[in-house]
Amino acid sequence: MTIRIGYLRNALSQRNRGRGAPADAANADFRVLESIDQLDAHLQAFAEAGIEILIIDGGDGTVQAVLTWIYGGDRGWRPRLAVVPGGMTNLIAHDVGLKGDPGEAAMRLSRGGGELATRAVMRVRHGADIHCGMFFSAGAPLSTIELCRRDIHSKGFQASLAVGATLAFVAGRRMLDPTREDEIFRPYQIAVTPPDGETDTGPQLLFMAATTDGLMVGANPFWGGDGAIKATWAHYPAKRFLRRLPALYRGREPKGDDVYQSRSGDRFSLRTGEPFILDGEIYSAPEDGEIILDHAGDAEFVR
């Protein structure tokens, strides 16, 4: 029996500008997202049509918007998802994305092909707003991403090359002056309450949490267990940061050093006035400063 496939392409995503429907996707219910205002209508139509696999062709922000629609409320519809890397960084697609031509992938999925990968969905509650995604960060990672977009992407670097170039630039600058505070290496007032309930009042250099199996360019900076949400944070000033970076990058716990903390579980609470980023989208901190990260359920991705 043929599986019902929905295909949502974000026309505004970096790799999708000016592109039409994939040549081999005639078996899919193909819809183009030309404005975020259209998202609700498109997803509602997919739900009413009983779509079993939804292909999301866009960047991390597009995937986050779809996850928020499905997991942020009780929709009664949780299709399997397939991700085509159509954006700038594509961290989620790097983990669970489709390989090869999107049209051919749609044909393969409609015949029951592909392998399944299950990932937890992170729900972020901030003030009256709820967003669902897979990678959250605040502090130095957000400042680094802003630097990447402003100074690296603008010079023509793309995707993981831009991330790698930014990390190399930041590390090189830090080596020249290890004690200098700048727009990245500075104290961020972030209080962290992990699942065990003991609040770390900060200040921190960074906080990040993920449900993906690793990040970009081989990074997997988590060693605190196998819970739904994995989180790592570092107290400011994070002495010997560059010396520790190779181990942190691979998720190895620094021995005899309580500056670097990593935990996993179903719920983390933050209190901060700092902005944060969720799957490439930047948000201001809520007025009361409280941000809750919890487990919204599990998504099945086909790749």
Side-chain angles (χ1 to χ4, degrees), residues 53-55 80-85 91-100 105 108-109 112-119 212-213 300-303:
I53 297 178
L54 176 61
I55 299 174
R80 289 177 173 174
L81 304 174
V83 181
V84 174
L91 185 151
I92 296 172
H94 180 76
D95 178 32
V96 293
L98 287 171
K99 303 296 189 286
R108 183 174 72 250
L109 297 181
E115 63 178 32
L116 290 179
T118 301
R119 298 288 185 270
T212 53
D213 186 10
E300 284 191 334
F301 292 89
V302 190
R303 57 187 180 180

Side-chain angles (χ1 to χ4, degrees), residues 155-282:
K155 291 179 172 57
F157 288 89
Q158 298 296 322
S160 60
L161 288 178
V163 176
T166 304
L167 292 175
F169 172 75
V170 170
R173 188 170 65 178
R174 190 66 175 173
M175 289 177 65
L176 292 174
D177 189 351
T179 62
R180 174 176 173 261
E181 285 190 9
D182 55 28
E183 74 271 28
I184 294 174
F185 285 91
R186 64 175 179 85
Y188 299 86
Q189 297 303 321
I190 305 171
V192 181
T193 305
D196 61 20
E198 185 176 350
T199 300
D200 183 336
T201 58
Q204 317 294 352
L205 174 64
L206 60 86
F207 176 89
M208 51 189 169
T211 63
T212 53
D213 186 10
L215 307 180
M216 294 294 289
V217 289
N220 192 15
F222 307 103
W223 61 89
D226 296 322
I229 301 171
K230 299 164 289 186
T232 292
W233 62 100
H235 302 159
Y236 187 82
K239 295 179 180 179
R240 301 184 298 278
F241 179 74
L242 290 182
R243 187 181 303 174
R244 300 291 196 194
L245 190 58
L248 296 171
Y249 192 86
R250 294 174 174 81
R252 297 175 183 170
E253 179 180 5
K255 302 299 182 182
D257 193 341
D258 62 359
V259 168
Y260 305 95
Q261 300 290 321
S262 192
R263 303 281 194 281
S264 69
D266 286 346
R267 188 181 190 277
F268 289 80
S269 174
L270 308 181
R271 190 165 290 277
T272 182
E274 299 286 349
F276 65 90
I277 189 165
L278 179 67
D279 297 329
E281 302 297 318
I282 299 174

Side-chain angles (χ1 to χ4, degrees), residues 68 71-72 123-126 128-132:
T68 297
Y71 290 85
R123 178 170 47 213
V124 180
R125 305 174 187 267
H126 50 114
D129 295 325
I130 293 176
H131 291 87
C132 297

Side-chain angles (χ1 to χ4, degrees), residues 7-17 19 33 36 39 54-68 81-97 132-135 149 153 158-159 212 216 277-281 283 301:
Y7 195 122
L8 180 68
R9 169 168 285 172
N10 186 349
L12 302 179
S13 294
Q14 185 174 12
R15 298 187 187 181
N16 288 340
R17 292 167 187 166
R19 296 173 66 188
L33 186 67
I36 195 64
L39 183 69
L54 176 61
I55 299 174
I56 308 167
D57 187 347
D60 292 327
T62 308
V63 180
Q64 186 238 98
V66 172
L67 291 174
T68 297
L81 304 174
V83 181
V84 174
M88 182 181 296
T89 305
N90 304 302
L91 185 151
I92 296 172
H94 180 76
D95 178 32
V96 293
C132 297
M134 301 182 74
F135 179 62
R149 292 178 176 178
H153 275 298
Q158 298 296 322
T212 53
M216 294 294 289
I277 189 165
L278 179 67
D279 297 329
E281 302 297 318
Y283 302 93
F301 292 89

